[in-house]
Amino acid sequence: HVQLVESGGGSVQAGGSLRLSCAASGRTYSNWCMGWFRQAPGQEREGVASINSAGRTTFADSVKGRFTISKDNDKNTLFLQMNSLRQEDTAMYYCAASSSWYPTLVRLDYHHWGQGTQVTVS
């Protein structure tokens, strides 16, 4: 069983930065593909960024150049650095784990989810 706990959300002005963290426990973490998703009210949950066990990454077009994804395998922690935040980045952000080898932004590829952390950009 994989447990994922997000933190680091909050309120920030447009142009600001936030760093989200996701602490993973329960299963072998280093072999999993990890991802960040977000969901705004009334909208579908969408993939934001993903990183596989080899460190290969992929990003949604809307965040390319602004967000970076990284992980600390020793601490079983996933990060999402968000810079140049925009109002349209406001959403609940979720950490997720997948057995996929390739980094993926497809929601159905992910089997384990955290509870989410709210990001509000004004």
Side-chain angles (χ1 to χ4, degrees), residues 85-104:
L85 283 162
R86 305 168 181 168
Q87 288 186 345
E88 53 264 39
D89 295 318
T90 294
M92 185 72 79
Y93 282 71
Y94 298 90
C95 170
S98 167
S99 57
S100 170
W101 167 249
Y102 296 99
T104 171

Side-chain angles (χ1 to χ4, degrees), residues 1-4 24-28 32 34 97 112-113:
H1 178 69
V2 177
Q3 186 172 18
L4 304 172
S25 62
R27 287 284 301 269
T28 302
W32 289 71
M34 302 295 294
H112 304 281
W113 294 84

